[in-house]
Amino acid sequence: MSPDYTRSHQQPVNIDDRVLKGDATAQKLENATLKAELGNASWKLLHTMMAKFPDKPTEDDSAALKSYIHLFARLYPCGDCARHFQKILAKYPPQVTSRSSGAAWACHVHNVVNKRLKKPAFDCSKIGDFYDCGCAEDPVPSKGVKVTKDSFTPLTLDDKEGLTRGG
Ligand SMILES: Cc1cc2nc3c(=O)[nH]c(=O)nc-3n(C[C@H](O)[C@H](O)[C@H](O)COP(=O)(O)OP(=O)(O)OC[C@H]3O[C@@H](n4cnc5c(N)ncnc54)[C@H](O)[C@@H]3O)c2cc1C
């Protein structure tokens, strides 16, 4: 008999801060090749997700993205990376009020990791070209959002959410 997945789907998910910011779950990842492959794929996912995030998100969209980022950090399957990234999130809280602020934030925290690993910094002013959101291909544009080929708005760091220590 196959498991009843619908039952667990019906249970409400209440995610509080304790769940979002709890201890990282994974063990240290010793295999350097796996660690690099995982990192590469994960950054691609994160940056592309930002490029596809709504320009004008609803409160729910923003809450979902913020939760996702904290859970991404907590569950990241390289334990030492996860613990470091959680510290980075505590210092630079996710910015989720628009596509451009999210993309700028992700670029910034990736550069923090790059610096720690002695990799060159990425020029975040180029991020809109690099991770093309592909918005022009969307058959159904978001309500109220004017879609053009170059619809990636210029990057700004949102002071309100504080890309600063301890914000
Ligand atoms: C959350 C997280 C934490 C990690 N922590 C660690 C760790 O503690 N120790 C460890 O050894 N590895 C860690 N990694 C893996 C590490 O960041 C790299 O992914 C891995 O070393 C492979 O590096 P890479 O040179 O292929 O480029 P990556 O850093 O994987 O980047 C992939 C591509 O993204 C582009 N890119 C580079 N910087 C940026 C930027 N700032 N913004 C947008 N695009 C950019 C470049 O084209 C680059 O080639 C972590 C990965 C993630 C996702």
Side-chain angles (χ1 to χ4, degrees):
M1 203 171 101
S2 60
D4 183 3
Y5 293 116
T6 50
R7 248 179 84 152
S8 66
H9 182 68
Q10 282 157 3
Q11 287 162 358
V13 183
N14 296 314
I15 309 179
D16 61 27
D17 246 36
R18 191 180 47 82
V19 174
L20 293 179
K21 299 177 186 172
D23 290 345
T25 52
Q27 304 282 311
K28 191 170 164 45
L29 183 56
E30 302 284 0
N31 184 315
T33 307
L34 283 182
K35 195 189 262 196
E37 283 175 2
L38 176 68
N40 218 278
S42 302
W43 287 124
K44 176 88 175 174
L45 171 67
L46 190 69
H47 293 301
T48 308
M49 190 175 287
M50 294 306 185
K52 287 279 187 184
F53 190 65
D55 239 348
K56 295 183 172 62
T58 63
E59 274 187 32
D60 269 12
D61 292 335
S62 294
L65 181 59
K66 194 171 202 162
S67 302
Y68 176 86
I69 292 166
H70 282 290
L71 292 176
F72 169 81
R74 182 174 183 193
L75 299 170
Y76 192 72
C78 156
D80 45 336
C81 310
R83 281 179 282 280
H84 284 124
F85 197 58
Q86 285 184 311
K87 285 186 189 151
I88 294 172
L89 294 191
K91 189 168 172 183
Y92 303 108
Q95 297 204 25
V96 296
T97 53
S98 67
R99 178 185 302 153
S100 58
S101 67
W105 171 85
C107 189
H108 178 77
V109 294
H110 191 165
N111 273 340
V112 175
V113 174
N114 285 342
K115 189 171 180 190
R116 199 174 146 261
L117 300 179
K118 302 191 170 28
K119 290 177 190 282
F122 186 90
D123 178 357
C124 291
S125 69
K126 304 252 162 60
I127 200 153
D129 304 327
F130 207 76
Y131 299 94
D132 180 2
C133 80
C135 307
E137 298 153 25
D138 277 353
V140 185
S142 312
K143 225 167 122 189
V145 176
K146 192 174 169 233
V147 174
T148 64
K149 177 76 186 85
D150 301 311
S151 64
F152 197 97
T153 46
L155 297 179
T156 49
L157 295 179
D158 187 346
D159 285 343
K160 205 169 55 184
E161 286 180 60
L163 197 66
T164 52
R165 187 182 290 269

PDB file of all heavy atoms in Angstrom, residues 70-91:
ATOM      1  N   HIS A  70      16.050  31.304   5.010  1.00  0.00           N
ATOM      2  CA  HIS A  70      16.479  30.798   6.315  1.00  0.00           C
ATOM      3  C   HIS A  70      16.479  29.267   6.347  1.00  0.00           C
ATOM      4  O   HIS A  70      17.397  28.657   6.907  1.00  0.00           O
ATOM      5  CB  HIS A  70      15.595  31.377   7.425  1.00  0.00           C
ATOM      6  CG  HIS A  70      15.957  32.791   7.762  1.00  0.00           C
ATOM      7  ND1 HIS A  70      17.132  33.118   8.404  1.00  0.00           N
ATOM      8  CD2 HIS A  70      15.330  33.962   7.520  1.00  0.00           C
ATOM      9  CE1 HIS A  70      17.200  34.430   8.564  1.00  0.00           C
ATOM     10  NE2 HIS A  70      16.115  34.973   8.021  1.00  0.00           N
ATOM     11  N   LEU A  71      15.482  28.658   5.701  1.00  0.00           N
ATOM     12  CA  LEU A  71      15.444  27.189   5.680  1.00  0.00           C
ATOM     13  C   LEU A  71      16.529  26.626   4.760  1.00  0.00           C
ATOM     14  O   LEU A  71      17.126  25.590   5.052  1.00  0.00           O
ATOM     15  CB  LEU A  71      14.055  26.699   5.249  1.00  0.00           C
ATOM     16  CG  LEU A  71      12.948  26.989   6.264  1.00  0.00           C
ATOM     17  CD1 LEU A  71      11.584  26.571   5.715  1.00  0.00           C
ATOM     18  CD2 LEU A  71      13.214  26.285   7.595  1.00  0.00           C
ATOM     19  N   PHE A  72      16.784  27.329   3.665  1.00  0.00           N
ATOM     20  CA  PHE A  72      17.886  26.954   2.759  1.00  0.00           C
ATOM     21  C   PHE A  72      19.187  26.904   3.560  1.00  0.00           C
ATOM     22  O   PHE A  72      19.966  25.952   3.457  1.00  0.00           O
ATOM     23  CB  PHE A  72      17.948  28.009   1.636  1.00  0.00           C
ATOM     24  CG  PHE A  72      19.157  27.962   0.737  1.00  0.00           C
ATOM     25  CD1 PHE A  72      19.220  27.060  -0.316  1.00  0.00           C
ATOM     26  CD2 PHE A  72      20.214  28.850   0.910  1.00  0.00           C
ATOM     27  CE1 PHE A  72      20.325  27.034  -1.163  1.00  0.00           C
ATOM     28  CE2 PHE A  72      21.320  28.837   0.069  1.00  0.00           C
ATOM     29  CZ  PHE A  72      21.375  27.922  -0.972  1.00  0.00           C
ATOM     30  N   ALA A  73      19.399  27.917   4.401  1.00  0.00           N
ATOM     31  CA  ALA A  73      20.628  27.961   5.211  1.00  0.00           C
ATOM     32  C   ALA A  73      20.627  26.828   6.237  1.00  0.00           C
ATOM     33  O   ALA A  73      21.617  26.121   6.408  1.00  0.00           O
ATOM     34  CB  ALA A  73      20.735  29.310   5.915  1.00  0.00           C
ATOM     35  N   ARG A  74      19.508  26.639   6.906  1.00  0.00           N
ATOM     36  CA  ARG A  74      19.462  25.628   7.968  1.00  0.00           C
ATOM     37  C   ARG A  74      19.653  24.203   7.421  1.00  0.00           C
ATOM     38  O   ARG A  74      20.297  23.372   8.050  1.00  0.00           O
ATOM     39  CB  ARG A  74      18.120  25.732   8.706  1.00  0.00           C
ATOM     40  CG  ARG A  74      18.069  24.748   9.837  1.00  0.00           C
ATOM     41  CD  ARG A  74      16.856  24.857  10.702  1.00  0.00           C
ATOM     42  NE  ARG A  74      17.006  23.881  11.769  1.00  0.00           N
ATOM     43  CZ  ARG A  74      16.052  23.503  12.580  1.00  0.00           C
ATOM     44  NH1 ARG A  74      14.864  24.025  12.495  1.00  0.00           N
ATOM     45  NH2 ARG A  74      16.290  22.602  13.503  1.00  0.00           N
ATOM     46  N   LEU A  75      19.050  23.948   6.247  1.00  0.00           N
ATOM     47  CA  LEU A  75      19.045  22.586   5.694  1.00  0.00           C
ATOM     48  C   LEU A  75      20.142  22.358   4.659  1.00  0.00           C
ATOM     49  O   LEU A  75      20.229  21.261   4.088  1.00  0.00           O
ATOM     50  CB  LEU A  75      17.678  22.301   5.045  1.00  0.00           C
ATOM     51  CG  LEU A  75      16.473  22.363   5.989  1.00  0.00           C
ATOM     52  CD1 LEU A  75      15.164  22.320   5.210  1.00  0.00           C
ATOM     53  CD2 LEU A  75      16.522  21.212   6.990  1.00  0.00           C
ATOM     54  N   TYR A  76      20.956  23.376   4.391  1.00  0.00           N
ATOM     55  CA  TYR A  76      21.982  23.246   3.341  1.00  0.00           C
ATOM     56  C   TYR A  76      22.842  22.007   3.652  1.00  0.00           C
ATOM     57  O   TYR A  76      23.365  21.874   4.771  1.00  0.00           O
ATOM     58  CB  TYR A  76      22.833  24.527   3.294  1.00  0.00           C
ATOM     59  CG  TYR A  76      23.712  24.595   2.077  1.00  0.00           C
ATOM     60  CD1 TYR A  76      23.169  24.831   0.830  1.00  0.00           C
ATOM     61  CD2 TYR A  76      25.090  24.382   2.177  1.00  0.00           C
ATOM     62  CE1 TYR A  76      23.969  24.865  -0.307  1.00  0.00           C
ATOM     63  CE2 TYR A  76      25.901  24.426   1.052  1.00  0.00           C
ATOM     64  CZ  TYR A  76      25.332  24.666  -0.185  1.00  0.00           C
ATOM     65  OH  TYR A  76      26.129  24.691  -1.302  1.00  0.00           O
ATOM     66  N   PRO A  77      22.983  21.107   2.664  1.00  0.00           N
ATOM     67  CA  PRO A  77      23.582  19.811   3.000  1.00  0.00           C
ATOM     68  C   PRO A  77      25.111  19.787   3.131  1.00  0.00           C
ATOM     69  O   PRO A  77      25.726  18.724   2.983  1.00  0.00           O
ATOM     70  CB  PRO A  77      23.100  18.897   1.861  1.00  0.00           C
ATOM     71  CG  PRO A  77      22.708  19.794   0.764  1.00  0.00           C
ATOM     72  CD  PRO A  77      22.414  21.143   1.316  1.00  0.00           C
ATOM     73  N   CYS A  78      25.704  20.903   3.406  1.00  0.00           N
ATOM     74  CA  CYS A  78      27.123  20.974   3.789  1.00  0.00           C
ATOM     75  C   CYS A  78      27.082  21.707   5.134  1.00  0.00           C
ATOM     76  O   CYS A  78      26.829  22.909   5.183  1.00  0.00           O
ATOM     77  CB  CYS A  78      27.914  21.752   2.732  1.00  0.00           C
ATOM     78  SG  CYS A  78      29.445  22.501   3.309  1.00  0.00           S
ATOM     79  N   GLY A  79      27.261  20.960   6.204  1.00  0.00           N
ATOM     80  CA  GLY A  79      27.014  21.497   7.538  1.00  0.00           C
ATOM     81  C   GLY A  79      27.863  22.708   7.893  1.00  0.00           C
ATOM     82  O   GLY A  79      27.357  23.700   8.422  1.00  0.00           O
ATOM     83  N   ASP A  80      29.159  22.632   7.552  1.00  0.00           N
ATOM     84  CA  ASP A  80      30.030  23.767   7.899  1.00  0.00           C
ATOM     85  C   ASP A  80      29.647  25.007   7.075  1.00  0.00           C
ATOM     86  O   ASP A  80      29.633  26.131   7.589  1.00  0.00           O
ATOM     87  CB  ASP A  80      31.529  23.414   7.771  1.00  0.00           C
ATOM     88  CG  ASP A  80      31.862  22.655   6.499  1.00  0.00           C
ATOM     89  OD1 ASP A  80      30.961  21.997   5.929  1.00  0.00           O
ATOM     90  OD2 ASP A  80      33.020  22.724   6.055  1.00  0.00           O
ATOM     91  N   CYS A  81      29.313  24.778   5.792  1.00  0.00           N
ATOM     92  CA  CYS A  81      28.857  25.909   4.950  1.00  0.00           C
ATOM     93  C   CYS A  81      27.587  26.507   5.558  1.00  0.00           C
ATOM     94  O   CYS A  81      27.420  27.730   5.634  1.00  0.00           O
ATOM     95  CB  CYS A  81      28.519  25.459   3.538  1.00  0.00           C
ATOM     96  SG  CYS A  81      29.769  24.460   2.721  1.00  0.00           S
ATOM     97  N   ALA A  82      26.673  25.626   5.982  1.00  0.00           N
ATOM     98  CA  ALA A  82      25.378  26.064   6.520  1.00  0.00           C
ATOM     99  C   ALA A  82      25.590  26.926   7.764  1.00  0.00           C
ATOM    100  O   ALA A  82      24.967  27.982   7.898  1.00  0.00           O
ATOM    101  CB  ALA A  82      24.527  24.853   6.853  1.00  0.00           C
ATOM    102  N   ARG A  83      26.457  26.474   8.635  1.00  0.00           N
ATOM    103  CA  ARG A  83      26.679  27.238   9.880  1.00  0.00           C
ATOM    104  C   ARG A  83      27.280  28.613   9.573  1.00  0.00           C
ATOM    105  O   ARG A  83      26.884  29.619  10.145  1.00  0.00           O
ATOM    106  CB  ARG A  83      27.558  26.432  10.849  1.00  0.00           C
ATOM    107  CG  ARG A  83      26.748  25.355  11.583  1.00  0.00           C
ATOM    108  CD  ARG A  83      27.602  24.539  12.527  1.00  0.00           C
ATOM    109  NE  ARG A  83      28.392  23.534  11.819  1.00  0.00           N
ATOM    110  CZ  ARG A  83      27.910  22.360  11.397  1.00  0.00           C
ATOM    111  NH1 ARG A  83      26.655  22.023  11.615  1.00  0.00           N
ATOM    112  NH2 ARG A  83      28.687  21.502  10.753  1.00  0.00           N
ATOM    113  N   HIS A  84      28.219  28.647   8.647  1.00  0.00           N
ATOM    114  CA  HIS A  84      28.790  29.950   8.266  1.00  0.00           C
ATOM    115  C   HIS A  84      27.722  30.838   7.627  1.00  0.00           C
ATOM    116  O   HIS A  84      27.647  32.025   7.888  1.00  0.00           O
ATOM    117  CB  HIS A  84      29.955  29.771   7.280  1.00  0.00           C
ATOM    118  CG  HIS A  84      31.202  29.304   7.950  1.00  0.00           C
ATOM    119  ND1 HIS A  84      31.872  28.164   7.580  1.00  0.00           N
ATOM    120  CD2 HIS A  84      31.904  29.832   8.968  1.00  0.00           C
ATOM    121  CE1 HIS A  84      32.916  27.995   8.360  1.00  0.00           C
ATOM    122  NE2 HIS A  84      32.967  28.992   9.205  1.00  0.00           N
ATOM    123  N   PHE A  85      26.909  30.219   6.768  1.00  0.00           N
ATOM    124  CA  PHE A  85      25.905  31.021   6.059  1.00  0.00           C
ATOM    125  C   PHE A  85      24.853  31.554   7.031  1.00  0.00           C
ATOM    126  O   PHE A  85      24.375  32.676   6.873  1.00  0.00           O
ATOM    127  CB  PHE A  85      25.267  30.188   4.933  1.00  0.00           C
ATOM    128  CG  PHE A  85      24.542  31.016   3.911  1.00  0.00           C
ATOM    129  CD1 PHE A  85      25.204  32.014   3.201  1.00  0.00           C
ATOM    130  CD2 PHE A  85      23.197  30.823   3.644  1.00  0.00           C
ATOM    131  CE1 PHE A  85      24.532  32.792   2.258  1.00  0.00           C
ATOM    132  CE2 PHE A  85      22.520  31.593   2.701  1.00  0.00           C
ATOM    133  CZ  PHE A  85      23.194  32.582   2.012  1.00  0.00           C
ATOM    134  N   GLN A  86      24.523  30.784   8.036  1.00  0.00           N
ATOM    135  CA  GLN A  86      23.570  31.285   9.045  1.00  0.00           C
ATOM    136  C   GLN A  86      24.135  32.514   9.765  1.00  0.00           C
ATOM    137  O   GLN A  86      23.394  33.445  10.079  1.00  0.00           O
ATOM    138  CB  GLN A  86      23.241  30.183  10.056  1.00  0.00           C
ATOM    139  CG  GLN A  86      22.296  29.124   9.487  1.00  0.00           C
ATOM    140  CD  GLN A  86      21.900  28.084  10.521  1.00  0.00           C
ATOM    141  OE1 GLN A  86      22.751  27.528  11.215  1.00  0.00           O
ATOM    142  NE2 GLN A  86      20.611  27.806  10.634  1.00  0.00           N
ATOM    143  N   LYS A  87      25.444  32.508   9.993  1.00  0.00           N
ATOM    144  CA  LYS A  87      26.063  33.695  10.617  1.00  0.00           C
ATOM    145  C   LYS A  87      25.992  34.894   9.664  1.00  0.00           C
ATOM    146  O   LYS A  87      25.762  36.027  10.078  1.00  0.00           O
ATOM    147  CB  LYS A  87      27.526  33.403  10.972  1.00  0.00           C
ATOM    148  CG  LYS A  87      27.654  32.515  12.184  1.00  0.00           C
ATOM    149  CD  LYS A  87      29.103  32.350  12.601  1.00  0.00           C
ATOM    150  CE  LYS A  87      29.193  31.284  13.681  1.00  0.00           C
ATOM    151  NZ  LYS A  87      30.458  30.569  13.700  1.00  0.00           N
ATOM    152  N   ILE A  88      26.190  34.620   8.387  1.00  0.00           N
ATOM    153  CA  ILE A  88      26.097  35.697   7.386  1.00  0.00           C
ATOM    154  C   ILE A  88      24.669  36.260   7.366  1.00  0.00           C
ATOM    155  O   ILE A  88      24.463  37.475   7.315  1.00  0.00           O
ATOM    156  CB  ILE A  88      26.534  35.177   5.987  1.00  0.00           C
ATOM    157  CG1 ILE A  88      28.025  34.831   6.002  1.00  0.00           C
ATOM    158  CG2 ILE A  88      26.231  36.209   4.899  1.00  0.00           C
ATOM    159  CD1 ILE A  88      28.534  34.124   4.749  1.00  0.00           C
ATOM    160  N   LEU A  89      23.678  35.377   7.456  1.00  0.00           N
ATOM    161  CA  LEU A  89      22.273  35.842   7.457  1.00  0.00           C
ATOM    162  C   LEU A  89      21.973  36.683   8.703  1.00  0.00           C
ATOM    163  O   LEU A  89      21.183  37.636   8.643  1.00  0.00           O
ATOM    164  CB  LEU A  89      21.300  34.664   7.423  1.00  0.00           C
ATOM    165  CG  LEU A  89      21.273  33.784   6.175  1.00  0.00           C
ATOM    166  CD1 LEU A  89      20.063  32.852   6.220  1.00  0.00           C
ATOM    167  CD2 LEU A  89      21.215  34.605   4.918  1.00  0.00           C
ATOM    168  N   ALA A  90      22.585  36.320   9.817  1.00  0.00           N
ATOM    169  CA  ALA A  90      22.352  37.101  11.043  1.00  0.00           C
ATOM    170  C   ALA A  90      22.931  38.512  10.875  1.00  0.00           C
ATOM    171  O   ALA A  90      22.370  39.487  11.378  1.00  0.00           O
ATOM    172  CB  ALA A  90      22.993  36.395  12.230  1.00  0.00           C
ATOM    173  N   LYS A  91      24.034  38.587  10.158  1.00  0.00           N
ATOM    174  CA  LYS A  91      24.674  39.891   9.950  1.00  0.00           C
ATOM    175  C   LYS A  91      24.018  40.666   8.815  1.00  0.00           C
ATOM    176  O   LYS A  91      23.876  41.892   8.879  1.00  0.00           O
ATOM    177  CB  LYS A  91      26.156  39.651   9.644  1.00  0.00           C
ATOM    178  CG  LYS A  91      27.008  40.876   9.621  1.00  0.00           C
ATOM    179  CD  LYS A  91      28.483  40.477   9.598  1.00  0.00           C
ATOM    180  CE  LYS A  91      29.357  41.674   9.385  1.00  0.00           C
ATOM    181  NZ  LYS A  91      30.781  41.304   9.280  1.00  0.00           N
TER     182      LYS A  91
END
